[in-house]
């Protein structure tokens, strides 16, 4: 089976722009979670989607949004980019959708740099 | 917040030595998972330990859980240079099941 894929792998944007990141989970996985990783804050949970519904949400401003499609692929969008949004954005998928029970399979991440 | 804390932040050892990393968390948990991350890449699941378990083994890995102290430890025996990576613990509790990670321990194994 192919692993979790994320596109693009690297992205450079300027302040005020918006960005859309894409995640394709492992075939058959219905849960997709997004994380932001920075040196200062570590790995922080953004949100989780299961069967096209947002099931969990972290403590991020409304500029961060996401969605999941019927084929379980997910996108996250960040509007009005700020310098502090520079980070590695990781996507993870799991089979049944219980993060505490299921192994999370992570993608390689998208490195976003905001100038 | 259930965010955990890994300790130490960084650890440097020689190949063949054992490495021990600790993780503490704040509230009661359903279970705890350990992940490894090679530089700038995604996380890889290592082991899951449930709240009613005290110890679990997987190859050279040994994880313990002490719910009374709200802490867990990951022991890597006979370390190899390839074990060089950051190690994270993720815990979940309550009814929303989401995983919360600490900032990780950077392990460097010198050949």
């Amino acid at each position: 089976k192919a692993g979790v894929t994320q596109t693009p792998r690297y992205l450079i944007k300027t302040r005020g722009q918006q960005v859309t990141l894409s995640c394709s989970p492992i075939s058959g996985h219905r849960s997709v979670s997004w994380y932001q990783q920075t040196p200062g804050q570590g790995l922080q949970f953004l949100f989780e989607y299961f069967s096209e519904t947002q099931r969990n949400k972290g403590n991020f401003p409304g500029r961060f949004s996401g969605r999941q499609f019927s084929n379980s692929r997910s996108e996250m969008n960040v509007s009005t980019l700020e310098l502090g949004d520079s980070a590695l954005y990781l996507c993870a998928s799991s089979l049944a959708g219980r993060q505490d029970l299921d192994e999370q399979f992570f993608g390689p991440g998208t490195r976003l740099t905001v100038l | 917040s259930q965010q955990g804390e890994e300790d130490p932040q960084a650890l440097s050892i020689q190949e063949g030595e054992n490495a021990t990393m600790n993780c503490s968390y704040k509230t009661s948990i359903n279970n705890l998972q350990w992940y490894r991350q090679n530089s700038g890449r995604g996380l890889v699941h290592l082991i899951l330990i449930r709240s009613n378990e005290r110890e679990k083994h997987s190859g050279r890995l040994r994880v313990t859980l002490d719910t009374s102290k709200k802490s867990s430890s990951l022991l890597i025996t006979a370390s190899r240079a390839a074990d060089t990576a950051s190690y994270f613990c993720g815990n979940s509790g309550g009814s929303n099941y989401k995983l919360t990670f600490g900032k990780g321990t950077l392990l460097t194994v010198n050949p």
Side-chain angles (χ1 to χ4, degrees), chain A residues 72-91:
Chain A
S72 293
R73 190 177 70 84
S74 176
E75 288 181 348
M76 68 162 281
N77 184 275
V78 188
S79 62
T80 320
L81 284 166
E82 300 177 359
L83 294 178
D85 297 333
S86 294
L88 181 67
Y89 290 87
L90 293 165
C91 158

Side-chain angles (χ1 to χ4, degrees), chain A residues 11 13 36-39 64 81-89 110-115:
Chain A
L11 204 49
K13 292 284 188 179
Q36 181 196 65
Q37 186 176 30
T38 59
F64 292 81
L81 284 166
E82 300 177 359
L83 294 178
D85 297 333
S86 294
L88 181 67
Y89 290 87
T110 293
R111 172 75 62 185
L112 171 65
T113 302
V114 182
L115 302 176

Side-chain angles (χ1 to χ4, degrees), chain A residues 103-104 106, chain B residues 34-38 42-47:
Chain A
E103 174 182 350
Q104 300 288 301
F106 282 80
Chain B
W34 283 91
Y35 286 79
R36 186 183 83 184
Q37 183 181 36
N38 289 91
L43 278 70
V44 175
H45 182 266
L46 295 176
I47 201 162

